[in-house]
Amino acid sequence: MRFRHPDGTTVHLAYCTNVHPAETLEGVLAQLRDHCEPVRRRLGRDRLGIGLWLARDAAHALVTDPAALRTLRSELDRRGLEVVTLNGFPYQGFGAEEVKYRVYKPDWADPERLEHTTSLARVLAGLLPDDVTEGSISTLPLAWRTDWDEQRAKTARAALRTLAERLDALQELTGRSVRVGLEPEPGCIVETTADAVGPLTAIGHDRIGICIDTCHLATSFEDPDTALDGLTRAGVRVVKSQLSAALHAADPRLPEVREALAAFAEPRFLHQTRTLTGAGLRGTDDLGEAVHGDALPESAPWRSHFHVPLHAAPAAPLTATLPVLRTALARLVGGPHPLTRHLEVETYTWQALPPALRPRDRSRLADGIAAELMLARDLLTDLGLKELP
């Protein structure tokens, strides 16, 4: 979906296909047929943006076989779909029964991360619509916080500088500009936007910026205005933003709140949980640790890294952090000029919701994704952007 900002620039809205995990090119093509096109049809649009997630094997197939890339581009066109952004965070196995900490491997100290992201950039340059010259890729925020030292940090910075040089060369070759954004996430080396400033200024290249995920922003209790002010002062580019909402528990002392939270503690994904106290941010690596123990103080609200469907806040006594998303979006695209032109709804946790809330079939899932995009569309038009055909 495309929108015209009051300043005349085009803002793109997509939804991320990591909600339909596939490891191979054949699986990606099936996603387009079984999921993405039905969502487009529900929205009544001739064209729908999707943020592709390409696992290692699919990316390798596309970057090594020009015919395969042409096939994917043809299928996108045939089904009324377009790609301006990729999710480069998960490497493989995102559809496994247990993902948890595995999603952070390989990290940016591992050469595999550089090679995979380079492949994604080359693929994206070949998938961009004919009238679009700028693409974006989100990637993990360096690494999970453990097993990290200055040598690994130095290696990661060097890898990202090499990536920037390759992206420069890619633009010279293709005329397409691709940028990569580190995506701050609780528990990682770059957990907050403030944590991103040091590494990104050390890398010192316009090709490497930040991806703002509003669920992660909320989970870390970051104020969107303060966060974006800090990035602007530091000269850090917002490459893209993922529109998402976290789980919020206003009063975790109450047994009914603990019981409601426990229903969201599930075995597939990591749900880092945080609370903001007078002494600073406190947290656990997963929701179960918080709910079933005494690791977190109960005197202040808790937030958990669980991507809640945008249009469907959980039942009381829980809520979602949609107000954080609204505030962030107002700053990102509601000002005189957009801070980013690539927006992506990323709710990959549909099948990880409590059983009663999960979509029972493909049709219900498509209904839900379409509803999320309609909400995001309404937020954008409320900010003065005009939806384009």
Side-chain angles (χ1 to χ4, degrees), residues 87-89 108 113 117 137-141 160 180-184 211:
N87 186 333
F89 197 132
W108 272 103
R113 178 59 65 172
T117 310
I137 301 172
S138 48
T139 188
L140 82 162
L160 285 162
V180 173
L182 303 184
E183 182 184 329
C211 168

